[in-house]
Amino acid sequence: MKKLALHWQILIGMLLGVIFGFIMASVNGQDFVMKWVDPFGKIFVKLLKLIAVPLILASLIKGISDLKDISKFKNMGLRTIVLYIITTVIAITIGLGLVNTLKPGKGITKETVSMLKDKYSTSDQAQTILINAKQQKEAGPLQFLVDMVPDNAIYAMGNNKFMLQVIVFAILLGLCLLLVPEEKAKPLKDFFDSLNEVVLKMVDIIMLFAPYAVFALLASVVVSADDPDILLALLKYAGVVVLGLFLMICFYMILISVYAKKSPFWFINRISPAQLLAFSTSSSAAALPVTMERVEEHVGVDKEVTSFVLPVGATINMDGTSLYQGVAAVFIMQVLWPEGLVFSNQLMIILTALLASIGSAAVPGAGMVMLVIVLEAIGFPSDLLPIALALIFAVDRPLDMCRTTVNVTGDATVSTVIAKSLGKLGEPHIKNWDDNYPVK
Ligand code: ASP
């Protein structure tokens, strides 16, 4: 007998979680959900994050040290960066095109603005976002390059925030393994090879809990959602973001079908557990181990490509986030600062949202912090910033779930396209314990 495919199990878990959340919200059971259900979702997210650093380290070092020469790495690195930039610019352009044509800001009345302002502009969350954004802004334009280089490898590995530093260290180590005589490199290569295999097995084990964990995650999202009146007022704005994200997914599917010559439905089917986790956790970093496993084993992209393209993508390529930033910035201007809606500002949004998506951390809510920087770059009046955030706060979590799904899909698509261009897209090799494993 075949077990139900993993993505169906996860989908059922999500659906039941939403239903349970609504039932509990209607009987005032929010407290129960947050105390007794939510912790299981948190444990799952922690477990996924737990394996991110060892997985990146092992698979990147193994991937690079398997390359036959360094020029191949240069080639792949260049293609990755260029494609990531192109897809991000396309995403922002789609977002700006939609928000300027559909004008979601037009429907927002003065009463709605003041209701949102009263509820959110002085909230702790809004203040934290503004403080975080200020810290980010005070750093110089090249600070992100400085931040990428670790001064202590062990320290970098000790904090998921320093994922890019771990990547830099792993690339350096992998490249040096190529440069030393083979017999010297072999023990270390074998070690990382073995570590990689073991960590991938950990992904399998953790994923056995995924259907239950998404139940917990979605139930807690539902019970902590805002009241329906507020959500309704922002429906048009949220609709524009979701429409843009949907168009972005269509764009990826075209790339997959035209360039990688694979069926888009087959592709989505293969990577869907990673997408569903991105949706449930709102964190590309948490979904990363699963994305790597799915793209490598289920799509058939060579490890040389996934090990580099996916971790780098999770940290710097956020198409969904940048599309959202474009829409949110213009929506806010439509409501609060119509005189700022000039062409030069829209160009500036493309540039800053591109940089902001590179700088956004792959964690829930990061896109909103960087949105403040986008707004400041176009000269948005700073006294209106708390009101600007208040305007979009209520729907940020559901939109975060959707944009994170697009972020992860974008990374998976780009890695498949790059693999195809380098002749590294082979046949899937699904291992034991994975999806569809037979039950005795
Ligand atoms: N949550 C997003 C991610 O992890 C980032 C964001 O848009 O807030 O990809």
Side-chain angles (χ1 to χ4, degrees), residues 282-285 318 321 324 360-368 400 403-404 407:
S282 291
S283 166
S284 322
M318 298 196 177
T321 301
Y324 147 84
S360 299
V363 294
M368 213 169 169
D400 195 1
R403 64 188 190 243
T404 309
N407 291 345

Side-chain angles (χ1 to χ4, degrees), residues 43 161 227 302 348 436:
I43 292 173
K161 265 200 340 222
D227 65 66
D302 198 289
M348 192 65 181
N436 287 329

Side-chain angles (χ1 to χ4, degrees), residues 123-135:
S123 70
D124 289 350
Q125 278 165 304
Q127 297 310 320
T128 317
I129 288 180
L130 291 172
I131 293 168
N132 284 346
K134 190 157 176 267
Q135 281 167 354

Side-chain angles (χ1 to χ4, degrees), residues 69-115:
D69 62 89
I70 295 185
S71 65
K72 274 199 192 157
F73 178 68
K74 249 175 42 198
N75 196 353
M76 180 169 75
L78 203 70
R79 281 174 204 221
T80 306
I81 304 296
V82 170
L83 251 181
Y84 276 157
I85 292 180
I86 293 177
T87 54
T88 306
V89 171
I90 291 177
I92 309 170
T93 314
I94 291 180
L96 289 182
L98 287 177
V99 70
N100 282 300
T101 356
L102 300 174
K103 299 196 178 26
K106 279 266 157 72
I108 303 286
T109 58
K110 287 225 163 49
E111 293 75 55
T112 313
V113 176
S114 72
M115 168 181 78

